[in-house]
Amino acid sequence: MRELREPANINVRLPTDAVSSGTPAVLAKTGGSVQSHRWSAKGAATAGSGTVAAPKAANTSRDALAVATDAVASGLPRLVVGALFGLTLGKARMHWPAVISGQLRLEAAGMAQMFLAATVSGMVALAVMERRGLFRRSVRAPVSCGMVGSSTFAANWGCGNVVGGTVLGMGMAVAGACPGTLLVQLGAGIPSAPYAVAGGVLAALAHAYAEAALRRRWLPRLGEPSGAALAVDELVAARGEGGKDGSSDRRGNVYGTIAAGTAAVVLPLVAVLATVLPHAEHLRRILVAGQQPAESRLGDASMWPWVDAPLWQPVTAGLVIGLVVQPASVLVSGSALGMSGVYPYWAAQMLTTAGAAGDRLQKWLWPVTAAAEDGTRAPELPAGLARSSGAHATGWTAVGTVLGGFLATLMSGGYGPAEVGELPSRTAAVVGGALLVLGARIAGGCTSGHGISGCAQLGVASMVTVASMFAGGVVMARCLQFVGLSASAL
């Protein structure tokens, strides 16, 4: 029988669909259901008629060391993947707030070049890996706004994707970041990044509790899938079979054909776009506006991903993400890239740590309660945070992304806060960060999960989200520009 360490004065019951390995509760799985266990005064955990003896001190340290070793061994590869992702974004300066804001104001095209190159090349890489049996696509389903009894698009299919994508895009315009580049900004030492991260974590907390309350009272289907998870190649294959579902082999052939054809058309167009609207020229305008010596800081943008090059072309960065980082993520974690999940993960870890300080604090921080086996009420995390609390792999990837941002800055010769162009104010950073994560939670993904990964897998819901995201960002950026406001003045 495995021995367990007794937690101090903690009585927690988790949702049956969301058990966290990091939550201070002792859990056992009996008959397919997860039950809460309580520690007796004699130091034993009881569940029904079973009893788990308190651990011996001699084995506690060895067990803790084994758990820590396993965690590091499984987390290090994910940290490396995150570091590659952060390094690539940093070397192309995709994390500068002025670069993202300029893209949404339609004054530059560097971000679009990187995004298209990463998505299309990632599509080719994933098609090859799926054909060889190394990867199986997991297309995201459309997200419901929670309304029941309506078949309209606005009330049912994709409503959460449209609303969430729009809110996320508004946050991009205000904060000058997206959930992934925000982590790179944190590693690069951009002053607005900590405030935006704080706003994002607070938004993850607020969303979890608000979603739980709304689902109990008015919107029982809020956040649930509102339809089947559809992919473009699935629709094409089904149409080719006379409306019937196509075979997996046919779907694989269609996916590979679409990937090859899209790459043959889009990548040359991206190369032309890079020539017509050079990313380096936009960066020089940013540096000149900040009264910085542009030529000495940037040099010539490199088409090759040399780590000692001061600047990478957006196309180069996109190809590295699609052909190197994306396959590495699949091989290491079994899933494609996605970054927004780290914010509810951090929020859940904060609540779990604070709740362990004592019963009274725990009940105040965890207001959602559930009936325990003996009829009493025990505090529990909302389902959204409880699901995220065990996503340690996401935490490792996020830490690696922060490290990659630091390394990119270091390898590029370093630059101070005044050398990255206009920065959002503290208020704008907090508000923008909150909008970023709120939108990502509503839509079920961000520019990485729905964008680079979801669109590369031809997910219809992901394409709807990305279209809403950029539409919301462009409109918000134009509105701020129209009224004569900038994020730094908010």
Side-chain angles (χ1 to χ4, degrees), residues 390-421:
H392 305 300
T394 303
W396 281 97
T397 305
V399 171
T401 305
V402 175
L403 177 62
F406 170 77
L407 293 176
T409 304
L410 190 66
M411 293 176 181
S412 299
Y415 43 80
E419 299 178 68
V420 297

Side-chain angles (χ1 to χ4, degrees), residues 53-97:
K56 296 180 181 179
N59 295 329
T60 301
S61 60
R62 289 200 297 268
D63 291 344
L65 180 61
V67 170
T69 302
D70 291 343
V72 172
S74 63
L76 279 179
R78 294 172 172 84
L79 185 142
V80 172
V81 171
L84 287 173
F85 185 57
L87 176 67
T88 303
L89 291 175
K91 293 295 289 185
R93 307 295 202 280
M94 286 294 113
H95 64 296
W96 283 14

